[in-house]
Amino acid sequence: MKVASSSRLARKPEKRTLEPVQLPFLGLSPFISHIMSTYTITELAQEFDITPRAIRFYEDHGLISPSRAGAGGRNRVYSARDRTHLKLTLRGKRLGLSLADIKHLVDMYGSPKDTEAQLRSFLEVLARHRAALEQQREDIEIMLDEIKNHEERSKLVLAKSSQKKPKSSKNLEK
C-alpha cells in the first residue's frame, strides 16, 4: 500500500459548515450538524481500509460525488457528506445490502422528508434482506444434510468392502 506524502498528511482540511442531515435508520442522531472537512481519496482509503479503486467504484455507482479541484479537475475532493455516504455504504455492504438498496437509502435519508416513511422503507429493505438470508440458511442446511447422508453412505460402503476383501496371498502363506 502506498503511503501518502508527508505534505498531504500535514495538510489541514478546509473548514466549511454542513447542512443538517437526517440519518435515523443507522442509529445516528437526527440533524447532525458539524464543521465540514475535506478529504483526499488516499485519506478516505486509509481511514476505511479500502482501496482508492473501491472508492471510485462507489463514485461510479452514484453513492458519493466528490467535487473536483486542480488542473483540469483531476483531483477529487471529498466532503464530510461524501465521507458519511461512504461510511453508510460500507455499513450497508457489511449488512449484505445491494448497492441499489444502499443508494436508495442514502438518497432517501439525505433529504429532509417524512422520517416515518423513510423508516418504513428501511424496514422493507431489511425485511427483504432477512428473507433472502433465511432462505440461504435453509438452503445451506439442506446441503449440509445431503453431505452428511453421502458421508454416511460412503463410510458404510467402505466398511462393507473392507470386510469382503479376501486375505492377500502373503497373509495366507504365514
Side-chain angles (χ1 to χ4, degrees), residues 18-30:
L18 177 66
E19 293 299 316
V21 176
Q22 287 186 326
L23 300 167
F25 76 100
L26 290 171
L28 301 176
S29 63

Side-chain angles (χ1 to χ4, degrees), residues 3-158:
V3 179
S5 68
S6 59
S7 63
R8 265 195 182 160
L9 295 176
R11 178 175 83 59
K12 297 258 184 201
E14 176 186 329
K15 303 284 183 185
R16 294 181 278 167
T17 57
L18 177 66
E19 293 299 316
V21 176
Q22 287 186 326
L23 300 167
F25 76 100
L26 290 171
L28 301 176
S29 63
F31 299 105
I32 296 171
S33 180
H34 55 74
I35 302 299
M36 189 166 159
S37 299
T38 58
Y39 307 90
T40 65
I41 195 167
T42 303
E43 290 168 339
L44 290 179
Q46 288 175 347
E47 178 180 352
F48 292 108
D49 195 26
I50 59 176
T51 64
R53 178 67 196 119
I55 295 173
R56 288 189 296 272
F57 174 81
Y58 295 133
E59 181 184 342
D60 291 344
H61 283 82
L63 292 160
I64 53 179
S65 44
S67 57
R68 299 292 184 139
R74 286 182 37 123
N75 299 328
R76 291 170 169 87
V77 179
Y78 296 90
S79 66
R81 184 179 189 89
D82 292 320
R83 183 186 170 279
T84 300
H85 283 198
L86 180 59
K87 185 175 184 176
L88 298 177
T89 298
L90 296 173
R91 190 173 295 170
K93 288 305 293 176
R94 278 194 307 274
L95 286 172
L97 300 178
S98 69
L99 288 179
D101 284 339
I102 293 168
K103 181 165 177 27
H104 172 73
L105 293 170
V106 168
D107 289 347
M108 183 176 58
Y109 287 98
S111 64
K113 292 183 181 177
D114 181 20
T115 302
E116 184 177 330
Q118 293 170 348
L119 289 174
R120 287 186 195 284
S121 179
F122 182 59
L123 287 172
E124 288 173 15
V125 168
L126 290 178
R128 282 193 315 269
H129 187 60
R130 176 186 292 278
L133 288 174
E134 287 173 352
Q135 181 62 53
Q136 287 176 351
R137 180 171 49 193
E138 184 180 320
D139 293 343
I140 289 170
E141 289 297 326
I142 290 169
M143 284 188 264
L144 288 173
D145 286 342
E146 287 180 18
I147 289 171
K148 183 178 177 181
N149 289 335
H150 287 294
E151 287 174 333
E152 289 172 357
R153 282 191 299 224
S154 297
K155 288 176 184 177
L156 283 174
V157 169
L158 283 174

